[in-house]
Structures are given as C-alpha cells and as structure tokens.
Amino acid sequence: MLKLDNLSKTYRTAEVETVALDSVNVEIEAGEFVAIMGPSGCGKSTLLNVIGMLDLPTSGHYYFQGEDISGYSESRLSDLRKHNIGFIFQSFNLIDELSVAENIELALLYHNIPGSERRTRVAAIMDKVGIAHRAKHMPSQLSGGQQQRVAVARAVVGNQALILADEPTGNLDSAHGQEVIEMLQGLNEEGTTIVMVTHSPSHSDYARRTINLFDGHVLTESLRAVV
C-alpha cells in the first residue's frame, strides 16, 4: 500500500534545525495492522503525519499505491487523503455544535454523495460501532469512550482503506481504551489497514507488526507470532 524510501523530515527556524525523521525506510502492505512506538519526541507523530500526507518530507520518496507522491501538489495530496485515509486523534476533534450523526456525516460532505446515501451510511456505521442510540446527542453529552467511537465512525464512514490513529486511547480510561483497540482490531480483520501510534505495549500487541522509533530512526521492527 505504501513505502517510505530513505525519507527524512527536518524542521528549521532562524536559529534551530530539528531532524524529526532521519533516513526512514518503511513499507506497509494493504491489510496490515502496524503499531508505531518509541519515547516522546522520537518522531512518531511526524511519521504518521507524513504517511497521512499532512506534512511533506524534506527528502526521500513516498510511494502510495505504487506512485511516488513526494512531489505532488497540496490539491493532489488533499484528493488522495479524502478518498483513501481516515484519521483518529487522541483528542477526538469532534465539533461541539453538531450531533453525533452530523459529526459523522461531515466526513462524507466532500465526496459528492447524495444526502439519502449519506444518511444510510451514517446509520450503518453508528450501528456498527455501537453508538446508534446516541445519534442525536451532542459530544458534550457523551463519555470519552463514546466520543472516540464517534471519531472512529467518522474515520471509516467513507470506506477509506487506510486508518491512521495517533494515540487513540490516550485520553481514555483502561476499559474504554480497550474497547477502542478491539474496535480497530475488528476493522483490521475486515480488511482495513491500520497504522497506530501508541505508548501502550499491551495495545501494540494487537498489531501484527511493531515499528520502534528512536531519534527519528527506525530502531527495530518486530512481528507478533500468530496464535
């Protein structure tokens, strides 16, 4: 699905140069569940942002579905994101003024999908993630676990093949965090590719492969034994 070839990302200011990613080589196949781990500041979120086309590499190549997109314009990258990638963030990023159903439907408004089909898709995904009974509630009326369920539903309602999750359980208690991880595992078993940044070894165990970063380098990669 995607390949990073000798990819680096450097942030520069007038006085400071920070190397966030240094000659990273990573390949992720369609259908994988990959966890990215490492200490704070090692480049995990930067790597996820580059994979999600939210940030551009300073050097190297990024191949997505066989095409080198390193030199693509922002409009072309935006179009690729819109049709292929869903995002789940630690902070949920729901819109307080919209209901659960409206927050999820928002992800479909840029796909030129008729209103009746949008509502059908939203109803189906709410049922799938166990949030249908909260369809008309506002985010402030939900628990943290329920808000993250809405965020997961919003990420997958457009049938994106790749889901990027940045510390999706970071603001949740252990029980709700476990629910979200099991939900991601279920989506992966249905064929969705998952790339997840996490600090939790127990949650990384749900991934088939773990990539460990340190100071912007890929330090190790490990495969989970299939039981």
Side-chain angles (χ1 to χ4, degrees):
M1 171 174 274
L2 64 92
K3 179 181 179 181
L4 309 182
D5 182 16
N6 205 33
L7 186 143
S8 296
K9 175 63 181 179
T10 302
Y11 295 100
R12 294 184 176 91
T13 66
E15 299 177 352
V16 179
E17 179 176 285
T18 303
V19 178
L21 298 174
D22 189 0
S23 303
V24 169
N25 292 285
V26 167
E27 190 164 356
I28 296 173
E29 300 289 343
E32 278 200 277
F33 189 161
V34 177
I36 300 173
M37 299 191 72
S40 296
C42 72
K44 300 187 301 295
S45 292
T46 299
L47 178 58
L48 206 68
N49 286 340
V50 169
I51 291 173
M53 307 173 199
L54 297 173
D55 209 348
L56 298 175
T58 305
S59 62
H61 297 274
Y62 179 8
Y63 298 91
F64 188 79
Q65 295 178 338
E67 294 187 29
D68 187 352
I69 65 169
S70 307
Y72 276 20
S73 66
E74 176 52 39
S75 62
R76 290 185 73 182
L77 292 174
S78 177
D79 195 54
L80 273 177
R81 278 197 306 270
K82 181 170 61 178
H83 291 98
N84 294 281
I85 304 175
F87 297 88
I88 303 170
F89 301 99
Q90 178 177 343
S91 57
F92 314 140
N93 287 356
L94 302 180
I95 298 176
D96 292 336
E97 295 77 15
L98 299 181
S99 69
V100 165
E102 289 168 339
N103 264 283
I104 298 169
E105 185 178 4
L106 191 64
L108 296 175
L109 293 181
Y110 306 103
H111 289 260
N112 298 319
I113 297 172
S116 59
E117 184 180 343
R118 291 201 306 269
R119 289 187 289 275
T120 298
R121 284 202 196 183
V122 169
I125 199 65
M126 285 192 301
D127 186 60
K128 184 174 183 177
V129 302
I131 206 74
H133 63 298
R134 297 286 192 175
K136 296 182 179 180
H137 285 69
M138 310 303 282
S140 61
Q141 297 174 293
L142 306 179
S143 69
Q146 289 170 333
Q147 289 189 58
Q148 195 61 297
R149 284 176 178 268
V150 177
V152 171
R154 181 184 57 192
V156 301
V157 70
N159 296 324
Q160 282 85 349
L162 172 63
I163 299 298
L164 303 180
D166 193 356
E167 294 282 1
T169 64
N171 285 335
L172 302 177
D173 59 39
S174 58
H176 287 123
Q178 187 66 23
E179 289 179 5
V180 169
I181 289 297
E182 290 176 358
M183 196 184 314
L184 292 176
Q185 183 185 43
L187 291 168
N188 176 248
E189 289 172 351
E190 294 173 1
T192 303
T193 306
I194 309 286
V195 181
M196 174 182 69
V197 165
T198 182
H199 279 103
S200 169
S202 63
H203 290 165
S204 72
D205 284 344
Y206 282 80
R208 179 71 181 90
R209 180 160 56 108
T210 298
I211 297 171
N212 291 285
L213 291 184
F214 186 77
D215 286 349
H217 296 276
V218 174
L219 192 63
T220 61
E221 291 193 40
S222 58
L223 286 175
R224 177 173 55 84
V226 178
V227 179

